[in-house]
Amino acid sequence: MNHAFPCGTLPLDFVGTLRARRNAAPMEKLPSPELLDAWFTESGMFDVVPGANEADLEDALELRELIYELVAGRLAGEELPDAAVAALNRRAAGMPVEVRLGPDGVSRTGSASQGLAGLARGAVEILGGDEGALLRECARPECTQVYLDHSRGHRREWCAMKTCGSRVKSAAYRARQRSAKS
């Protein structure tokens, strides 16, 4: 598996395909159309590789940054820029992924642009709905993954306990051990 899905929310997991975006050299997880195809199939959006090309990859990266810009604005409590909102709405108006019922169950097929339109629609739902109040950014300084905090007290700090939460807690434990020895 090439990609991680720590959020359980596809538009936000898609934003996470640029890892550590505030670092001097962020890690790009979508450097090729083939890895965009892999993201679509690994996420479950498609059962069959959509066959993305360079233009689809460029559109995907633009959409990812557009969603991040709007999420960051929402997190900062800012009014969302009209131009960015209009751009997201245009993308959300695209054709949906084709979902069919067949003898083997449900199948999801379509083009990369249909997948991107689905991600844009999901982002519209989050940003414009009640879930927008649950948006958070991971508290681990090196991580910039955004997620929805559905925890009981809405006090979740990390995108995923398995990765970032474990690293932060381990680092804090080691720091306590070092200071106790001093």
Side-chain angles (χ1 to χ4, degrees):
M1 193 145 158
N2 296 303
H3 301 285
F5 302 90
C7 302
T9 307
L10 290 183
L12 300 181
D13 282 327
F14 188 66
V15 166
T17 60
L18 182 62
R19 301 274 166 93
R21 61 177 60 240
R22 285 188 290 274
N23 287 4
M27 183 190 309
E28 177 61 71
K29 300 298 283 183
L30 296 176
S32 69
E34 294 77 23
L35 282 172
L36 176 59
D37 281 340
W39 191 92
F40 280 130
T41 55
E42 290 172 17
S43 71
M45 281 190 80
F46 290 109
D47 297 316
V48 177
V49 171
N53 59 34
E54 289 293 332
D56 294 324
L57 179 60
E58 186 176 317
D59 287 345
L61 299 180
E62 287 174 10
L63 176 62
R64 178 186 70 196
E65 295 312 304
L66 176 63
I67 294 170
Y68 183 76
E69 174 189 352
L70 291 166
V71 166
R74 182 77 191 251
L75 285 169
E78 300 168 353
E79 189 167 325
L80 300 181
D82 291 338
V85 169
L88 184 63
N89 286 334
R90 276 192 305 279
R91 289 175 171 273
M95 294 293 295
V97 171
E98 189 173 312
V99 180
R100 292 183 177 255
L101 179 60
D104 295 327
V106 176
S107 69
R108 293 168 187 82
T109 59
S111 66
S113 64
Q114 287 172 283
L116 295 173
L119 291 170
R121 278 190 291 282
V124 166
E125 293 285 340
I126 291 167
L127 290 162
D130 293 339
E131 284 190 315
L134 303 177
L135 282 166
R136 304 284 185 274
E137 187 172 63
C138 186
R140 187 169 75 92
E142 300 81 26
C143 184
T144 54
Q145 180 69 56
V146 289
Y147 60 92
L148 295 174
D149 181 4
H150 288 289
S151 67
R152 185 167 36 188
H154 301 293
R155 295 180 302 182
R156 181 173 155 194
E157 295 180 58
W158 306 291
C159 59
M161 186 60 200
K162 261 174 125 171
T163 54
C164 290
S166 179
R167 288 178 186 157
V168 170
K169 287 184 173 211
S170 294
Y173 174 77
R174 287 190 304 273
R176 285 192 306 274
Q177 295 301 312
R178 279 192 302 272
S179 68
K181 290 178 183 178
S182 303

